[in-house]
C-alpha cells in the first residue's frame, strides 16, 4: 500500500482544490495558455534541479512509496505530476479567494 503514497498525496491535492473550478467557476483550467506560461518555466527549472540532484546522489525517491514508472533522467512519474498538479492547485486557491473576496488584489489586475 505504501507504493501509492506519493500518488495518494497528489490525488488528495486534486480532490482538495480542483472542486473550486466547478463550484466557484474560477476558470483556471479554461485559460490553458496562461497556466502553461505560469507553470512551465518553473517546472522545467525544478525538474533539471531534480535530475542533477538524483544523478549526484543528493536526492532519491523511496522505491516503497512510488509506482516505479520513471521518465527522463530517472525522475519518477509522480515527480513530473507534482510539478504540474501542485502549482495548478495553488493558482486555483488564489483564484478562489479572489472570486469570494472581490476586493482582494494579487497584482495582476
Amino acid at each position: 500500500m505504501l507504493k501509492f503514497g506519493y500518488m495518494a498525496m497528489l490525488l488528495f491535492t486534486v480532490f482538495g482544490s480542483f472542486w473550486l473550478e466547478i463550484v466557484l467557476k474560477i476558470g483556471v483550467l479554461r485559460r490553458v495558455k496562461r497556466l502553461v506560461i505560469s507553470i512551465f518555466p518553473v517546472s522545467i527549472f525544478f525538474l533539471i534541479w531534480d535530475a542533477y540532484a538524483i544523478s549526484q546522489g543528493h536526492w532519491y525517491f523511496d522505491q516503497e512509496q512510488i509506482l516505479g514508472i520513471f521518465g527522463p533522467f530517472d525522475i519518477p512519474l509522480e515527480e513530473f505530476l507534482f510539478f504540474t498538479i501542485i502549482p495548478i492547485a495553488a493558482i486555483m486557491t488564489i483564484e478562489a479567494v479572489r472570486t469570494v473576496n472581490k476586493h482582494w488584489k494579487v497584482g495582476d489586475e
Side-chain angles (χ1 to χ4, degrees):
M1 193 53 120
L2 276 179
K3 196 151 212 57
F4 298 100
Y6 199 165
M7 191 60 78
M9 183 271 303
L10 293 172
L11 288 173
F12 176 78
T13 302
V14 167
F15 290 121
S17 60
F18 280 46
W19 64 272
L20 298 167
E21 184 76 14
I22 298 164
V23 174
L24 296 179
K25 298 175 179 43
I26 55 179
V28 170
L29 297 179
R30 285 182 286 174
R31 295 176 283 184
V32 176
K33 183 178 177 185
R34 185 176 186 184
L35 211 51
V36 170
I37 290 170
S38 299
I39 295 171
F40 186 73
V42 177
S43 294
I44 291 300
F45 173 77
F46 281 110
L47 285 169
I48 291 169
W49 186 350
D50 263 6
Y52 174 76
I54 291 167
S55 72
Q56 298 300 305
H58 301 287
W59 186 253
Y60 72 96
F61 295 91
D62 184 356
Q63 299 296 320
E64 300 285 321
Q65 296 187 42
I66 60 174
L67 297 176
I69 302 168
F70 293 88
F73 309 108
D74 290 329
I75 298 175
L77 169 65
E78 293 91 342
E79 190 74 349
F80 285 103
L81 293 174
F82 176 87
F83 288 119
T84 303
I85 292 171
I86 300 302
I88 292 173
I91 292 168
M92 285 181 170
T93 303
I94 289 170
E95 291 299 325
V97 170
R98 289 174 65 170
T99 298
V100 172
N101 193 350
K102 300 280 188 213
H103 70 277
W104 192 58
K105 304 289 185 215
V106 176
D108 66 343
E109 291 78 21

